[in-house]
Amino acid sequence: MSTSPSAAAMPGALVISLDFEINWGVRDQQTLAQYGANLLGVRQAIPAMLALFAEFGLHVTWATVGLLFFETKAEMLAHLPAVRPEYADPNLSPYLVLDQVGEDEAHDPYHFGRSLINQIRATPGQEMASHTFCHYYCLERGQTVESFRHDIETAVRVGAEQGMALRSLVFPRNQYNAQYLETCRAAGITSYRGNEQSWIYKERSEEQQALYKRGARLLDAYVNLSGQHTARWADMARNFPYNVPASRFLRPWSGRLKALEGLRLRRILAGMEHAAKHGEVFHLWWHPHNFGVNLAENMAVLRRIAQHFRRLQARYSFESLSMGEVADRLSTYSNSPAA
């Protein structure tokens, strides 16, 4: 038993994680003609976000698809895992469309991200993490523990080759699969982002998605249907790898829903305040491509969130922690009966 203070003594914390994927994360759902502007806009959004994170001292986890790490297509092809997923729906596999990938980042900004990764790594407080190697779907028909093992081991190895220890994981499409946790642990993963505890957010395959559940998630972004979803330190400390569960998805600014923007922001700020007052963790997440269009409007929302963090920091000693830093705290603090 650790002699350090218990989890009950921990101050609250804001955790931010970003699903950094560019086209690898949307290619099976939207074409470049449909969504290309958002993807190209990532190259303006990431520097803008990094500047704000540095200004407010925000520590952020960048869960990055491993295929983005390379400088050239030749380098990418040389690092592919030997065992790859064989999904029942072949459209889900990026390996079947690698012929569409350009030669390097200058010629194909949709599938390479080394220059952006370098900017992230150069900014204090930013954690490079894994979004699997190929944007692996852990609940789709045809996936196996063996092919996932090859995927996550490849992602971790490629990161290590470039001087990055990838210790945190975000499951693509939030397809959390408990059968994979032992494989994650063996690969050196210490934390993952679990889903909110509500039927609205329960992990499911794409086939299992239902329109009414999507509608409920949209409504929940504006009206409190499912609670604040803050996490207690003692609960997170119970299992390893540690589950640092999501609290709220930062939906992109919408002109169509502009009249409801105040409700959306208030929902997030209230969750942060609840976490700060009760010494719990509020985990906010989004994709850089969500800021790819309407950047000014999205950054204005993010600034309001950062300003609220600063107020909570001054009043409640609220902290900003990456997922990896949360895992480090959980490994240090005991899960005492008082927690």
Side-chain angles (χ1 to χ4, degrees), residues 15-152:
V15 174
I16 295 174
S17 62
L18 300 180
D19 300 11
F20 180 26
E21 51 194 40
I22 315 184
N23 195 43
W24 298 114
V26 300
R27 48 155 293 278
D28 56 309
Q29 293 187 329
Q30 301 192 76
T31 66
L32 291 180
Q34 293 170 321
Y35 203 66
N38 282 76
L39 301 180
L40 289 178
V42 166
R43 297 183 178 272
Q44 288 73 51
I46 286 181
M49 288 188 286
L50 288 173
L52 186 142
F53 294 155
E55 177 185 349
F56 286 88
L58 293 172
H59 292 197
V60 176
T61 294
W62 295 77
T64 306
V65 170
L67 287 165
L68 290 175
F69 282 107
F70 305 106
E71 289 189 333
T72 67
K73 182 176 182 177
E75 185 184 2
M76 179 190 295
L77 295 177
H79 285 80
L80 301 183
V83 177
R84 303 163 196 174
E86 296 183 1
Y87 302 118
D89 178 1
N91 183 53
L92 298 179
S93 176
Y95 296 114
L96 303 183
V97 293
L98 289 178
D99 59 315
Q100 300 174 16
V101 175
E103 291 306 310
D104 55 29
E105 190 170 1
H107 294 90
D108 186 352
Y110 303 104
H111 296 105
F112 295 89
R114 177 73 75 82
S115 69
L116 296 170
I117 290 168
N118 289 342
Q119 292 179 51
I120 296 166
R121 296 179 69 186
T123 304
Q126 309 307 295
E127 176 195 17
M128 292 304 301
S130 181
H131 201 32
T132 72
F133 183 75
C134 76
H135 204 255
Y136 188 103
Y137 300 123
C138 299
L139 293 177
E140 300 297 337
R141 287 185 296 125
Q143 52 77 28
T144 65
V145 173
E146 178 68 2
S147 60
F148 176 77
R149 181 178 67 81
H150 280 263
D151 181 279
I152 196 65

Side-chain angles (χ1 to χ4, degrees), residues 319-334:
E319 296 186 272
S320 173
L321 299 175
S322 67
M323 290 174 62
E325 289 170 330
V326 168
D328 290 340
R329 295 285 181 90
L330 290 169
S331 68
T332 302
Y333 287 78
S334 63

